[in-house]
Each structure stands twice: as structure tokens, then as C-alpha cells.
Amino acid sequence: MGDTETFWEETMKYIASTFAVLSMSATMAIAQDFELPKQLSWTAYGTGSAGYNQSVAIGAALQDATGTNLRVLPGKNDVSRTEPLRQGRVQFSATGVGGSFMAQEGVFDFGAENWGPQPIRVLMANNGGAINLAVGVAGDLGIETYADLKGKRVAYIVGAPALNVNTEAYLAYGGLTWDDVERVDFGGFGASWTGLIEGQVDAAFASTNSGKTYEAEAGPRGLFWPPIDPADTEGFKRLTDIAPFFQLNKARVGATIDGTDGHQGAGYAYPVLTAMEATEADLVYNMTKAMVELFPKYDGNSPGIGGWALDKQNMEWVVPYHEGAIRYYTEAGVWTDAAQAHNDNLVARQAALAAAWEATKAANPDDWVAAWTEARRKALADGGFQITF
């Protein structure tokens, strides 16, 4: 009897262990079952930026797991990253708040007559919190606070409203405006940091883990990130009045920050993976699925890339999610009724802005900027939406 019991116990253990292995294999097979084209393209920030480096790391994971080749096209500013997306020459864009929030809002360069509010949709965003997005200053100036930038040379990126608004917000934190500094124009993000390294400018905006910031740290001038004091609520309000998407954050990753106790500053989601509303839902679904389920393969392969993890996603951000991404998140059990209600409100906001844009175009005003600014703010007010910019 004892031998029989032992036989059945061992048999059941074998069946259970075999079932576990088969279940694991099935799960792994499903995880690799991405219906993606063999060739994908998306735009990103310029070479050397965190957005570009992370995109390359994600592309390598896609290639290894699925055979899909991801072409990452660097764009030097928000317009050059968004134009290929709008034209359908790329399927996605790993962008920032400029190519997402500001494109949606139809402001700054996106307020020009050949642009207007765009039906941008989000798949995922890097919300890691490991990095800050901040204005860095040359380390040879003796600057300690953002107020010390008065009279200094500050980079302005032509065609990159997100970067410039963010810089303006940091100046505001220090009680300054563009009138208090010497504005130096550059044609792209990378050029602005080359300018800092080579002494053409004293301060520029970047993510703390950008390749260019590491170059600056190792360069002859060095690099310093002035801190944001959490107790300075008035200063931080001045910052968020200009750039409402910022939040206080203590960075652990970045030039001059790695290996330290961290840097108290501020940040926001970056990069943000976007598509147009018209992008095929099945493609977006599979791209979102690949981003989530291949995360272990690309995590750790670029500084700050851990923020793409599923548990770090903010489903109630300032730009709506694509229906294909929502389908995946619903299947994954992380999409809520609150997220759907928030998303519906954002879609309605975009519709109100689009209608105001078409009405303004039909009126053919002499002063386009003034007319669109007034029409945009009125549309948001009439719809009960928050007025930003």
C-alpha cells in the first residue's frame, strides 16, 4: 500500500511539474506572438539623446525576438519628428511633450497655419522617475541656483517649442524670463549641447541621462544641475504655470548624478511613444503588446529605460491613448473606468480644438496668430476644459 501511495505521489508530482513547464512554454510562445511587419519606422530625438538611445535598444529587442527591423529616424526638433508621423511615412514617434501635448494643443510651432491641433494618440510613455528633465549649466560659471542665470547665455532651439517652454519654465522658477538672459539660437538639441561644451552658450535643456550631458560632464567646462527646492512652492508654481506637465522628482540616473544620492529636481514622461488617431488599431495593439512583453529584453540596455515598465504607466495623462493600446491594456487588466472617462474627455478636448481650428481657417483672419489664440482659448473655456497656453 505504501509503495502504491508513493508511486501515485511521484506520478502526480511529475504531471504537475510537466504541466507547469508546458504552461510556461505556452506563455512564452504567446508572449512572442506579435503580428508586426518586418519593417517598422519611428522618429525620435537626435542621435545621442535618451529618446534615440532607448529607441535603438527597443529596436534591438524587437529584432532579436521577432525579426522586425525598427528604423529609428532622428529628428532635430518637434516639427521634424512629427511631420513624418503626420504624413504616414513612419508609424510611430518616440517624442516628448512637444510632439504629443503641444501638437495636440495646436500651440507654438503647431499653431502655424500649415499645422493646427493634431489627433495624437499615446501607446506608452517612459515614466521611470529615474531621470530629471532640466536645464543644465556649465560647471565653470559658479552657478548655484536658476536665479544665477541672469545675464547668462541660454540655448533656444528653433522649431522645438517643448524644449523652449521647458527652459522658460526653469527660468521662471528662478524668477527670470527670456528678457533676463541672452538667448542663443540653435538648429537642434544636439547643437545646443555642443555649444555648451565648446563655450558658445552657458545653459541648455535636456534629460539628465542624455548622451550629450555625459559629454558635457567630461568636457572642459563640466556640468551642474541647479536643484529644485520642494519647499519653494511659489517658485515651483511659477514653473508649472508655464509647463503644467512637470512634477517634483529626485533623479538617480544621469550625468553627475550616477552613483550619488540623487538630484532633487523635476521631470515628466519622456520619451512618449505616439501614433496618429488614424493608425491601424491592430498595428498599435501589437506594438503596445511588444513594448510591454519584451520589456525584460530591453530593460537595462540604455540609461533610464526602466520607465517603460507596465507598472509605471500613467493611464490618465494629458494626451489620449490609442484605441489599439486601450485594447491591449484592457486585456492586461490595467485599464479602468476612470482611465476611460479621462480618455473620453481628452478626445472631446481634441475635437473641440479641431472644430475651432476649422472655423478659424474658414474665417481667413488677417492676423492668424491672434485669431487662433483667441479661438483656441474660447473653445476650451466653452467646453469646460482646462486652458493651458
Side-chain angles (χ1 to χ4, degrees):
M1 187 70 174
D3 291 342
T4 302
E5 289 176 349
T6 300
F7 169 80
W8 281 110
E9 286 175 359
E10 293 301 318
T11 300
M12 292 306 294
K13 287 179 182 178
Y14 173 80
I15 293 172
S17 63
T18 302
F19 179 78
V21 169
L22 290 173
S23 297
M24 184 181 298
S25 299
T27 301
M28 291 175 68
I30 291 170
Q32 304 304 318
D33 185 22
F34 309 128
E35 298 178 10
L36 291 172
K38 290 300 181 183
Q39 179 75 54
L40 279 175
S41 298
W42 74 38
T43 59
Y45 277 73
T47 54
S49 69
Y52 183 86
N53 293 342
Q54 291 181 25
S55 296
V56 170
I58 291 166
L62 272 174
Q63 179 74 51
D64 290 344
T66 70
T68 294
N69 178 39
L70 175 62
R71 293 175 60 242
V72 182
L73 307 180
K76 65 182 181 179
N77 56 47
D78 295 322
V79 169
S80 61
R81 281 187 295 277
T82 310
E83 182 67 13
L85 186 68
R86 178 169 72 156
Q87 292 182 358
R89 292 192 288 113
V90 302
Q91 296 98 333
F92 307 106
S93 178
T95 190
V97 295
S100 55
F101 181 59
M102 293 175 191
Q104 163 191 277
E105 297 294 303
V107 293
F108 305 109
D109 285 3
F110 297 107
E113 289 186 70
N114 63 330
W115 272 99
Q118 300 296 305
I120 297 291
R121 295 292 186 268
V122 173
L123 283 72
M124 298 190 75
N126 186 321
N127 294 286
I131 65 170
N132 284 338
L133 292 112
V135 171
V137 301
D140 60 355
L141 299 174
I143 285 178
E144 296 183 358
T145 70
Y146 285 109
D148 295 336
L149 282 175
K150 186 172 183 177
K152 300 298 190 294
R153 300 167 299 172
V154 179
Y156 183 96
I157 314 303
V158 177
L163 299 182
N164 299 327
V165 166
N166 294 339
T167 300
E168 181 181 353
Y170 274 92
L171 291 175
Y173 175 81
L176 306 175
T177 70
W178 283 109
D179 292 336
D180 297 308
V181 299
E182 180 184 344
R183 175 179 138 176
V184 182
D185 290 3
F186 292 92
F189 163 83
S192 69
W193 277 86
T194 299
L196 186 144
I197 295 167
E198 296 179 353
Q200 299 163 0
V201 73
D202 300 318
F205 181 85
S207 60
T208 55
N209 64 333
S210 167
K212 285 292 185 179
T213 67
Y214 285 100
E215 288 183 33
E217 178 188 15
R221 306 183 73 193
L223 177 65
F224 179 70
W225 304 102
I228 295 289
D229 182 2
D232 185 4
T233 55
E234 291 184 4
F236 193 65
K237 183 179 185 303
R238 291 195 299 270
L239 187 152
T240 55
D241 280 347
I242 293 173
F245 35 80
F246 272 98
Q247 60 187 16
L248 291 169
N249 187 61
K250 190 168 186 179
R252 304 288 182 181
V253 175
T256 78
I257 299 172
D258 297 334
T260 71
D261 291 335
H263 172 265
Q264 184 61 58
Y268 55 81
Y270 166 76
V272 183
L273 186 60
T274 62
M276 301 302 288
E277 177 191 19
T279 305
E280 184 183 12
D282 286 346
L283 175 61
V284 174
Y285 168 86
N286 281 283
M287 187 72 252
T288 307
K289 181 178 182 181
M291 288 290 295
V292 173
E293 298 185 8
L294 289 180
F295 176 75
K297 292 186 177 294
Y298 61 80
D299 185 26
N301 293 342
S302 181
I305 203 169
W308 290 103
L310 180 59
D311 63 2
K312 289 183 168 60
Q313 298 307 303
N314 177 8
M315 304 300 180
E316 298 180 38
W317 198 51
V318 293
V319 179
Y321 279 79
H322 195 284
E323 60 174 311
I326 293 173
R327 187 202 309 171
Y328 176 77
Y329 292 133
T330 300
E331 290 180 1
V334 297
W335 190 255
T336 65
D337 290 343
Q340 187 63 54
H342 182 81
N343 214 71
D344 291 343
N345 186 64
L346 290 175
V347 171
R349 179 188 182 95
Q350 287 192 357
L353 290 170
W357 179 265
E358 292 303 322
T360 306
K361 284 179 63 178
N364 193 25
D366 293 331
D367 188 339
W368 175 264
V369 173
W372 167 237
T373 300
E374 180 181 354
R376 179 183 173 278
R377 294 177 68 87
K378 183 178 186 302
L380 292 175
D382 290 348
F385 303 110
Q386 179 182 354
I387 299 175
T388 306
F389 308 120

